[in-house]
Amino acid sequence: MEKEVMSSLKMAGNILCSASSFIRKCIFGVLRVGPIPNHIAFIMDGNRRYAKKQKLSHDGAAGGGGRYDAGFWALMVMLLYCQELGVKYITAYAFSIDNFKRKPEEVESLMTSMLEKFHLLDILVKLLAVRVHFAGNLELLSNELRASAMELTEATAAYSKSVLTICIAYTSRDEILHAVRESCEQKRIDLEFGNDDDDEIKLMKVEKNMYMAVAPDPDIIIRTGGENRLSNFLLWQSCWSHLHSMWVLWPEIGVWNLVFAILNFQRNKTYCLDMKKKEKEL
Amino acid sequence: MLSLRFAIPTANTLTPPKIKPKPGLVVQTAWNQTDLFPSLPKRNDYKLQAATTDLSVAGDIPAEEVVELPAELSRELMPKHVAVIMDGNGRWARQRGLATSAGHEAGVKALRELVELCCQWGIQVLTVFAFSYENWIRPKVEVDFLMSLFERALKSEVESFSRGGIRISVIGDSTKLPTSLQKLINEVEETTKHNSRLQLIVAVSYSGKYDVVQACRSIAEKAKDGQIQLDDINESLIEQELETNCTEHPYPDLLIRTSGELRVSNFLLWQLAYTELFFAQELWPDFRKDEFVDALSSYQQRQRRYGGRH
């Protein structure tokens, strides 16, 4: 009797999954009639509040990264949905330089959790043929974490179906500062060797030296957690981006949230594209 | 530009969360819209008014006085620096069957009211995005009108602003402006430079990216001349070279954009790192005291963490 009940429940579950998958495919099909963003960036805010809600353990030294596990899987799910939709570039704000200001034990636990997730990520991105890129001041990370990040970048360099950029030890101002320094250094070298026939540093040269030069500017920046600010994320790249804030906490983000964000983007896309073209003309 | 207005839900959750308002406070976050089917008002709802070219207004900016704040606002939580993207003049005019010029003139009046409110409520810096670098490709007729409007507005307001203790600064690529306007700007900046009640920064022919690029060029020159080493280049140095170095508070606490568009449009990119963003549905000429109170009230409710924890 029990076996029959379990079997019925399993069948009902399968039917529901198939039905929901069918509905999702239909919705995505409708979305694809309009313009699909080429690049979506996520500010993954709300992990701590989610953990409090779910009464998850703190990030203790004993490998707890419990509160960020759900956030990691939320990112993987978004990556899957974006791939299915045809969004080529996905960027996620994982760890800001400002986050180093948190308690040392919390930072250390976060770093440990990230190292564990990189191993998982390594398996998943190879299955999905996703190229992984890390944007940020990686010198601020531990040797182990930096090495793991570089390894993952090299291992996935050949993939081209999607590009996942993880911003770690990143702030936009630090990125711009880095680009300014590199541009000034290049200018100095060019002048020294007489290669430079132009006195002025151009905007394109500064852009080439950005950590995010591997991806085009984001079409949409989605922030979860209900806050309405950029928090030092992609300031340079966001000038024409559609900004979408949602109340849902990052680990709770689902397909409907993504669908609404894209629908909102589609209402305004023509204007954004026009302005990007006009910026280039000027 | 024609934006497509589909009748689709714009709320990003099916049931927007209920925000518990604090006693006596009105809470509104425009970024999470609760109207599911926003519609434009009908043309015949508005009384058509002839555009006026007379920008002189009755009375000066009131001298310093103790002004009671609206009940929703707290003086201690008032932002020091507010930035505004004044969007929607053209649409406002089209809705009323008026010429675009009428929309821009109505926009100037709304700006004047905002300046008065900022003076009264203790805001120290107000930066407004009057004309972007990308706006140069608008029709010549409109651009010429805007340049003449800036000139007229500056001429008519400089004395009033002087008496009201307002310092005017203009940022942006002034080389593209008419010579007469450049000269007037220099005069106005000189005349008002010692005023300290409110600093009004007007961004004209401004681009956030070009602001950073010109800072970079300036730094490169200094490095070339040996005034600084490459290792000396830090965030503080870049901040000093940006055009907002004309004020002690270069980073806005609050950015307001009107007309419902959800983007920053190349305005103050470096400076907006931790700025609270508020997107208002109203078109700029309709953004008045009540709407400003809503924006400030929303700002005062927010928790600013700067990457740390509470």
Side-chain angles (χ1 to χ4, degrees):
Chain A
M1 173 69 179
E2 215 177 280
K3 270 189 186 173
E4 281 170 12
V5 167
M6 289 305 294
S7 162
S8 303
L9 279 172
K10 201 175 169 187
M11 194 163 32
N14 286 341
I15 291 170
L16 271 172
C17 278
S18 304
S20 111
S21 171
F22 175 72
I23 291 169
R24 190 188 72 245
K25 285 181 173 32
C26 288
I27 301 284
F28 281 9
V30 169
L31 275 183
R32 274 193 224 98
V33 170
I36 292 293
N38 192 30
H39 181 177
I40 298 181
F42 294 98
I43 301 178
M44 305 185 291
D45 196 16
N47 290 296
R48 189 183 67 99
R49 279 170 279 171
Y50 176 82
K52 210 167 161 183
K53 237 165 84 169
Q54 304 293 326
K55 296 185 173 75
L56 290 175
S57 62
H58 276 276
D59 292 333
R67 71 169 68 161
Y68 294 102
D69 282 355
F72 171 77
W73 290 112
L75 177 59
M76 292 300 104
V77 166
M78 284 296 115
L79 177 61
L80 274 169
Y81 287 147
C82 286
Q83 257 203 347
E84 194 179 328
L85 267 169
V87 178
K88 182 160 178 190
Y89 296 90
I90 301 104
T91 300
Y93 198 8
F95 191 84
S96 158
I97 294 176
D98 297 322
N99 294 153
F100 280 114
K101 288 187 252 180
R102 294 180 183 177
K103 291 179 193 162
E105 50 274 16
E106 186 181 340
V107 174
E108 199 188 314
S109 179
L110 255 169
M111 295 292 142
T112 310
S113 172
M114 275 198 270
L115 198 55
E116 286 166 16
K117 299 298 178 292
F118 282 6
H119 297 311
L120 259 177
L121 191 60
D122 189 35
I123 301 167
L124 290 167
V125 295
K126 283 171 182 167
L127 273 172
L128 299 171
V130 173
R131 179 182 162 195
V132 179
H133 167 72
F134 289 90
N137 192 344
L138 303 186
E139 296 302 315
L140 297 175
L141 301 175
S142 65
N143 292 337
E144 203 184 348
L145 197 54
R146 187 170 56 253
S148 184
M150 301 309 301
E151 220 176 277
L152 190 49
T153 306
E154 279 167 25
T156 58
Y159 298 133
S160 57
K161 189 174 173 189
S162 311
V163 179
L164 170 65
T165 302
I166 297 178
C167 293
I168 183 169
Y170 173 93
T171 59
S172 194
R173 282 187 184 162
D174 181 71
E175 179 187 29
I176 294 171
L177 173 63
H178 169 262
V180 165
R181 277 193 186 139
E182 290 293 307
S183 304
C184 290
E185 174 64 13
Q186 280 163 14
K187 172 62 69 177
R188 186 192 67 78
I189 293 170
D190 286 342
L191 285 172
E192 204 172 296
F193 291 100
N195 291 338
D196 198 37
D197 52 2
D198 188 352
D199 268 337
E200 288 191 325
I201 293 176
K202 296 259 189 293
L203 184 142
M204 268 171 44
K205 275 207 168 142
V206 175
E207 283 192 326
K208 269 190 191 163
N209 289 312
M210 296 277 176
Y211 298 137
M212 288 294 300
V214 73
D217 292 348
D219 298 294
I220 313 178
I221 297 181
I222 293 176
R223 180 170 188 143
T224 53
E227 302 290 358
N228 295 351
R229 52 181 180 252
L230 289 168
S231 295
N232 219 335
F233 181 58
L234 301 185
L235 300 174
W236 180 272
Q237 296 82 354
S238 65
C239 54
W240 305 111
S241 304
H242 176 77
L243 306 176
H244 191 90
S245 171
M246 40 180 82
W247 285 103
V248 71
L249 303 176
W250 172 250
E252 293 170 336
I253 192 172
V255 67
W256 288 111
N257 305 119
L258 184 64
V259 166
F260 280 135
I262 293 175
L263 280 172
N264 265 299
F265 160 76
Q266 289 180 338
R267 295 171 82 214
N268 290 294
K269 182 188 189 256
T270 315
Y271 177 83
C272 288
L273 258 191
D274 275 349
M275 291 316 295
K276 281 185 191 173
K277 274 190 213 159
K278 283 164 185 173
E279 190 189 55
K280 286 187 179 136
E281 282 165 25
L282 286 170
Chain B
M1 165 269 159
L2 295 173
S3 58
L4 299 173
R5 302 281 174 199
F6 297 126
I8 48 176
T10 53
N12 46 46
T13 52
L14 291 176
T15 47
K18 289 188 174 64
I19 307 154
K20 283 185 199 168
K22 290 184 186 166
L25 286 178
V26 170
V27 176
Q28 175 182 330
T29 52
W31 206 351
N32 301 287
Q33 301 168 35
T34 53
D35 339 322
L36 291 185
F37 298 97
S39 57
L40 292 174
K42 293 180 188 153
R43 261 174 69 163
N44 55 17
D45 284 352
Y46 292 97
K47 188 177 159 187
L48 294 181
Q49 292 174 353
T52 171
T53 53
D54 180 9
L55 292 170
S56 61
V57 289
D60 291 340
I61 303 277
E64 293 203 42
E65 55 184 282
V66 176
V67 172
E68 205 176 307
L69 286 179
E72 306 93 310
L73 300 181
S74 154
R75 198 166 282 279
E76 293 77 34
L77 298 175
M78 203 59 83
K80 284 199 177 68
H81 182 168
V82 174
V84 183
I85 301 177
M86 305 184 292
D87 195 17
N89 293 334
R91 269 168 281 174
W92 184 91
R94 275 196 299 279
Q95 279 174 14
R96 288 154 181 76
L98 301 172
T100 310
S101 52
H104 292 308
E105 281 168 359
V108 170
K109 289 187 180 151
L111 174 59
R112 200 183 187 285
E113 186 179 324
L114 186 71
V115 167
E116 252 182 76
L117 291 172
C118 288
C119 283
Q120 288 168 3
W121 294 349
I123 290 165
Q124 294 176 36
V125 185
L126 173 66
T127 303
V128 296
F129 202 10
F131 191 85
S132 123
Y133 198 75
E134 287 76 29
N135 290 152
W136 286 110
I137 49 180
R138 286 190 178 181
K140 190 172 184 306
V141 167
E142 188 180 347
V143 170
D144 289 344
F145 172 79
L146 281 167
M147 294 299 122
S148 82
L149 182 62
F150 291 149
E151 250 185 90
R152 279 183 290 129
L154 275 177
K155 279 180 186 159
S156 71
E157 297 297 337
V158 65
E159 276 196 39
S160 153
F161 281 173
S162 273
R163 276 193 287 274
I166 298 170
R167 178 183 169 189
I168 298 179
S169 305
V170 177
I171 60 174
D173 182 6
S174 57
T175 59
K176 295 189 83 163
L177 302 177
T179 318
S180 56
L181 182 54
Q182 289 183 44
K183 197 170 158 219
L184 179 62
I185 286 169
N186 289 336
E187 280 168 17
V188 167
E189 284 183 329
E190 186 60 31
T191 307
T192 59
K193 70 180 180 192
H194 295 298
N195 296 342
S196 56
R197 189 176 172 201
L198 168 75
Q199 184 170 10
L200 172 62
I201 301 175
V202 186
V204 180
S205 184
Y206 179 85
S207 154
K209 281 191 177 176
Y210 274 101
D211 197 1
V212 173
V213 169
Q214 68 81 27
C216 179
R217 285 177 187 157
S218 177
I219 290 169
E221 273 303 306
K222 288 183 176 169
K224 187 174 135 190
D225 295 339
Q227 290 176 44
I228 52 168
Q229 304 301 315
L230 273 176
D231 289 340
D232 295 334
I233 302 175
N234 55 24
E235 289 187 17
S236 175
L237 186 63
I238 294 180
E239 180 192 318
Q240 285 165 34
E241 297 295 334
L242 292 172
E243 297 206 60
T244 43
N245 60 8
C246 58
T247 176
E248 278 179 23
H249 307 288
Y251 301 148
D253 298 297
L254 172 66
L255 170 77
I256 299 169
R257 181 177 184 139
T258 54
S259 87
E261 303 290 349
L262 304 179
R263 54 184 174 266
V264 297
S265 295
N266 208 0
F267 183 48
L268 295 180
L269 301 181
W270 174 278
Q271 296 86 339
L272 292 184
Y274 300 103
T275 303
E276 296 293 329
L277 309 176
F278 183 87
F279 296 100
Q281 286 299 307
E282 296 78 15
L283 302 174
W284 173 244
D286 292 329
F287 189 84
R288 298 302 175 124
K289 183 178 174 184
D290 289 344
E291 289 74 27
F292 191 38
V293 167
D294 287 342
L296 291 173
S297 174
S298 170
Y299 168 81
Q300 293 190 350
Q301 301 269 320
R302 300 187 191 185
Q303 290 173 335
R304 306 181 77 188
R305 298 191 293 266
Y306 302 94
R309 290 285 186 216
H310 302 293

